[in-house]
Amino acid sequence: LGGKKMKKIFISLLVAFVSCYANAQNQIGTCSITPKVGLNVAQMTNADGADARIGVVVGAEFDYQITDMFAVTAGAQYAQQGCKVDADFFDATVKLDYINIPILANFYVVDGFALKIGIQPGFRVSDKVKAEGDGVSVEIDAEDVFGGSTLKNVDFSIPVGASYEFNNVKFDVRYNFGVSPVVKGFGESSKNSVCQFTVGYKFAL
């Protein structure tokens, strides 16, 4: 009797394991959408005295599974970027917010774990500079701060990263290498530099 119970328990565990594993497999030709939310750690290169700005990122990505080891994703997300500047008499936050369109190739090296690389155009939707000092807080348009410099409306980045999916929950970390200048004349053609951490839930379509 004890042996039969052990056999039933073993079979039950095996069935549960196989079911979980099968559910985690990437079915060829399937489509899905993953709403996601997370944090940006944003910086601007070649900007003296600049520190990271912590902001939010929220959006969704559409996924198409081409093979069991390869998929492509395309998405749209609202991302808070820019940087912070700590000066002697005031602190300033450069708030450059974008609608980014990441398009990535996903290479599944093991089940559920993917390495990714792609391109990402971004469209600026807001630009402000908030300065605080001596109990006074002022927020003005970034164009007024940069003066004769030209603030670009479109940004291009190369995102690289990795993701892990378990029970339809997807954890994603990526670094967006800015390849186009954000502002001419600020530092030496500053570019966006963003570390991004998100979590989302994958829905089959």
Side-chain angles (χ1 to χ4, degrees), residues 4-167:
K4 290 182 179 180
K5 287 185 177 180
M6 289 296 295
K7 185 177 180 180
K8 288 181 179 180
I9 293 173
F10 174 78
I11 292 175
S12 298
L13 291 175
L14 181 61
V15 169
F17 174 80
V18 171
S19 298
C20 291
Y21 183 77
N23 290 335
Q25 298 303 297
N26 301 309
Q27 300 299 320
I28 297 173
T30 58
C31 299
S32 61
I33 188 168
T34 306
K36 57 195 306 186
V37 64
L39 290 177
N40 273 346
V41 181
Q43 179 63 283
M44 294 175 66
T45 64
N46 299 317
D48 293 338
D51 295 319
R53 178 198 181 194
I54 307 299
V56 302
V57 56
V58 60
E61 288 189 336
F62 173 83
D63 183 293
Y64 178 69
Q65 196 72 37
I66 297 176
T67 73
D68 57 349
M69 299 293 290
F70 178 72
V72 293
T73 58
Q77 55 190 28
Y78 172 77
Q80 294 180 331
Q81 299 177 195
C83 66
K84 297 185 71 174
V85 179
D86 296 328
D88 292 334
F89 302 104
F90 68 93
D91 296 329
T93 302
V94 180
K95 301 179 178 181
L96 301 179
D97 298 347
Y98 295 85
I99 298 295
N100 290 327
I101 312 295
I103 303 169
L104 297 104
N106 298 260
F107 303 91
Y108 287 88
V109 292
V110 295
D111 184 56
F113 180 77
L115 300 177
K116 53 189 65 187
I117 186 170
I119 58 173
Q120 178 179 276
F123 304 91
R124 180 169 52 85
V125 293
S126 178
D127 57 273
K128 299 289 183 181
V129 175
K130 182 178 181 180
E132 298 176 291
D134 294 330
V136 178
S137 178
V138 178
E139 188 170 83
I140 59 177
D141 291 339
E143 289 279 10
D144 296 333
V145 174
F146 295 122
S149 302
T150 302
L151 194 61
K152 303 296 184 180
N153 292 320
V154 181
D155 176 67
F156 288 95
S157 298
I158 297 177
V160 296
S163 66
Y164 180 71
E165 180 185 338
F166 180 73
N167 286 344

